[in-house]
Amino acid sequence: MSAHKMLLTGKTGFLGEIISDALTNYEIDGLGVRPNNEIRCDLSSNIPDITKKYDLVVHAAAKAHDLSPKRSRNKEFFDVNYNGTINLTKGIEKSGFFPDQFVFISTVSVYGVDNGEAIGEDFPLNGKSPYAKSKILAEQWIQNWSNKHKVNLIILRLPLVVGRDAPGNLRALINGIKTGRYFSIGRADAHKSMVWAEDIAKLIPELLNKNGVFNLTDGDHPTIGQIEDIVSAAFNKRKPIKVSLKVAKVIGSIGDLIPGFPFNSDKLLKLNSNLTFDDKKARELLNWKPSKVIDNLSEIL
C-alpha cells in the first residue's frame, strides 16, 4: 500500500517541522515561502499552484503572538491567518483535487479568556486580539468551505505548545533562567494548559475521515512553578529569585503607564490566574492519549 500523501503548510515552522519529522510514513509536501518547500508560495498574498491530490491537508502555517507594540503590524495576522486560509482553499479548488481530510491548526485564544478552568469547545468565541480574531474568521471560513465541498474537517485548538525550539514565552522563560535573568512572581501556582508538540503529530493519523472541533491539552495542566523548577534543575541553576505579588503589582502599574514596557498589570493577572481547557471530547472521539509536558520537558533543554 502506498503512503498517504500530505500537504503541510508551515512545514518549516516550529510545529510543522515536528509533524514532518514524526510522520515518516507519509509522503509530505511542504507549502510555504522558503526554498525547501515543495510548493513555493506566500499564502498571505497568493493562491498556490497545487497539481496533485493529497489524502490529507494540514494547515499549520500561522502568525502567532507578536510582542511588538506596533499596531500597524496587526494587519499581518489577518493576511497570514485569514487570507492565507482563503488562498489555500482557492488553490485546492483551482486544482480540482479535493483532499479526503483537512486539519486546521487553531488556538484556544479564540475563546478570549485569561482565566478559567476546564473550558470546553462550546465556550463562546470571544477573542478580541488580532491573533484571536484572525483565527476565528479562518475557522469560520474553513468550516463553510469544507461543508460546501464535502471535505472532512478537524479543527484543533491548541494551548501553549511545548517542544524543541519552542518560541515565545516558554523560550523566554528558559533563556531567562539559563542566564540568571528570570524572576518568579508570587507563588507561581497557577495552572496552565499545555501540550507536547510530538503528541499532536502522532494524533494526525487518527484524524482521517473525522470531523469536529477539539481542544488538545496534556491533561495535567502544570504550574509555572513546576516548569521553573524543571528548567532550573536542567541547567544546574538555583531556583529563580521570588518577587512578591505586592512588588509585582507596583511594577505592573508602572508598566501600565509606559507603552511597550515588558510587564504590566494585565500580564500579572494572566500569570497568577488558572487557565485550563477541557480535552475530554478529543480523548473520547479521537483516541487522544497525551503525555505530560513536565515528563518530557528535560528533552528540549
Side-chain angles (χ1 to χ4, degrees), residues 196-258:
W196 188 242
E198 288 189 15
D199 288 341
I200 300 168
K202 292 174 183 176
L203 178 68
I204 287 177
E206 304 287 340
L207 303 181
L208 293 173
N209 301 315
K210 293 183 179 178
N211 292 276
V213 179
F214 299 88
N215 295 335
L216 298 185
T217 80
D218 75 344
D220 185 48
H221 317 295
T223 66
I224 299 298
Q226 287 178 290
I227 301 298
E228 292 171 350
D229 289 347
I230 293 171
V231 175
S232 298
F235 293 117
N236 293 315
K237 298 286 186 178
R238 293 181 179 179
K239 291 184 178 180
I241 296 173
K242 289 281 187 180
V243 174
S244 71
L245 194 57
K246 184 176 181 179
V247 172
K249 287 180 178 179
V250 173
I251 298 173
S253 64
I254 295 172
D256 294 340
L257 303 174
I258 304 173

Side-chain angles (χ1 to χ4, degrees), residues 15-73:
L15 181 58
E17 281 192 345
I18 292 174
I19 292 173
S20 182
D21 290 346
L23 300 183
T24 56
N25 57 330
Y26 277 74
E27 292 180 8
I28 301 177
D29 285 350
L31 191 163
V33 297
R34 295 184 180 178
N36 51 344
N37 283 285
E38 285 72 19
I39 301 176
R40 291 282 304 279
C41 179
D42 181 354
L43 283 175
S44 67
S45 55
N46 295 285
I47 296 172
D49 185 17
I50 298 171
T51 59
K52 61 183 178 183
K53 177 178 172 57
Y54 295 95
D55 303 292
L56 172 65
V57 172
V58 178
H59 187 26
K63 178 177 175 59
H65 301 288
D66 190 342
L67 300 180
S68 170
K70 296 181 179 179
R71 297 178 64 87
S72 60
R73 300 188 65 172

Side-chain angles (χ1 to χ4, degrees), residues 135-153:
K135 280 294 193 176
I136 291 171
L137 289 173
E139 282 194 14
Q140 293 170 344
W141 174 273
I142 197 63
Q143 286 173 323
N144 291 333
W145 180 86
S146 64
N147 287 335
K148 177 181 178 181
H149 296 287
K150 296 180 172 56
V151 174
N152 293 311
L153 172 66

